[in-house]
Amino acid sequence: MKSKNKTKFLSVFLTALMLLTGCKSYNEADIKTSEFFAMDTYISISAYGENAENALDNCRKEIKSLDSQLSVTNSDSEVCRINSSKGETVSLSNDADRIITAALELSEKTNGALDISLYPVVSGMCFTFGEYQSPSEKALNDLLKNTGYEKISCKDGILTLPKDFKIDLGAVAKGYGSDRAIQILKEKGVTSALVNLGGNIALLGSKPDGSDWSVGVQNPFGEGYACIVKSRDKYIVTSGNYQRYFEENGKRYCHIIDPKTGYPVDNGLASVTVIGDGGLICDGLSTALFVMGEQGAVDFWKEQGDFEMIIVTEDKRVLATEGIFGDCPAAELGEVVKIEK
Ligand code: AMP
Ligand code: MG
């Protein structure tokens, strides 16, 4: 059995690209960068300006604190307290309330493609602790009985999970972390920054020289990029089957689960990237659109339309919505097909 977690490598690569292409008519020494490990991934935040160092310090503290609050594997975390509640009501912190409320709204909107109650299935396959195992149908059906976002009640900061339910905020936590980082950077007066939480990118303003940031969307099949997006003041988040998976008997089991079947998604998509105005929303959407598959994601975009999207399929096609700006060199991938309304 083989397993892989490419997140760290991907992040380093992305950051290098973004900084190298950005430094021209300003003092490079004024760009401050903070790099650390949290939320199970490599994190890098670069900020430009007077208060940058102090802002970065605050961002690091906030993300580390969110990590210990939201981690499903830390027995002292709020999420673990929720998961041991055995049907009793739980009073939530502001952060957990905001994340869970927004995630449940997204579950409604995506017809259950995003579902934070899948933890019994995720842990049943041992994605959490790394001793992976492929699921039997019977085992999955049993695990699925204790899932279903619509059975979770969250109102005015009070959460009730049915007994034996367990939640996992892995599909939205990094996005929320990027929202908080951008908020802190703004409060500290920083106007130009790039936040990278393991491939969850948040852009504050433009590059210090006034031009757009360039963000590489990973080629899921190897080196290089499927697209290089030019953007500012946006969140760019990718969910992909190459980011975390295990292989057994030549079959790949990725970390994103189809809530309807309990099986790892295997629908011909390699990655979905969402570009929009909020970190948590983009993070939740990229996971949900990956579950929906090519047609489902395109239909959803046509209906909702308040974000942009890049899809890379397993047969190496690249589809991009009409509002994407940048270069899609897609060297060994096919021509980019525009998705239009
Ligand atoms: P992401 O990498 O943001 O797409 O989120 C994937 C992570 O969220 C997985 O590692 C699981 O912990 C969890 N997860 C998997 N499938 C789903 C799903 N359909 N809805 C919500 N969370 C999920
Ligand atoms: Mg996500």
Side-chain angles (χ1 to χ4, degrees), residues 113-116 118 122 168 170-171 239 243 255-257 259 283 286-287 291:
L114 182 80
D115 191 336
I116 56 169
L118 288 172
V122 171
D168 158 21
S239 286
Q243 290 170 332
H255 69 307
I256 302 173
I257 307 293
D283 196 358
S286 68
T287 308
V291 171

Side-chain angles (χ1 to χ4, degrees), residues 254-269:
C254 82
H255 69 307
I256 302 173
I257 307 293
D258 182 341
K260 292 206 165 65
T261 63
Y263 277 102
V265 172
D266 181 18
N267 60 10
L269 293 192

Side-chain angles (χ1 to χ4, degrees), residues 106-107 109-116 118 121-122 144 149 171 238-241 243 254-274 282-300 309-312:
L106 259 183
S107 298
K109 211 168 163 182
T110 61
N111 196 22
L114 182 80
D115 191 336
I116 56 169
L118 288 172
V121 177
V122 171
L144 277 177
Y149 75 93
T238 300
S239 286
N241 65 2
Q243 290 170 332
C254 82
H255 69 307
I256 302 173
I257 307 293
D258 182 341
K260 292 206 165 65
T261 63
Y263 277 102
V265 172
D266 181 18
N267 60 10
L269 293 192
S271 72
V272 176
T273 299
V274 172
C282 289
D283 196 358
L285 267 183
S286 68
T287 308
L289 294 168
F290 190 85
V291 171
M292 287 181 204
E294 180 176 338
Q295 197 54 54
V298 170
D299 291 346
F300 186 88
M309 166 178 85
I310 299 166
I311 292 176
V312 183

Side-chain angles (χ1 to χ4, degrees), residues 5-15 18 34-45 63 170 173-175 177-178 194-202 215-216 218 236-240 242-244 255 283 286:
N5 183 348
K6 285 190 174 176
T7 312
K8 181 171 178 185
F9 169 75
L10 164 70
S11 309
V12 175
F13 218 45
L14 278 170
T15 309
M18 291 179 287
S34 173
E35 293 174 309
F36 53 98
F37 195 85
M39 294 185 153
D40 203 22
T41 195
Y42 169 84
I43 293 177
S44 157
I45 308 178
I63 290 170
K174 289 204 277 287
S178 72
L194 189 151
V195 177
N196 179 5
L197 282 84
N200 269 249
I201 307 292
V215 178
Q218 179 82 9
I236 303 177
V237 182
T238 300
S239 286
Y242 59 94
Q243 290 170 332
R244 194 167 293 184
H255 69 307
D283 196 358
S286 68

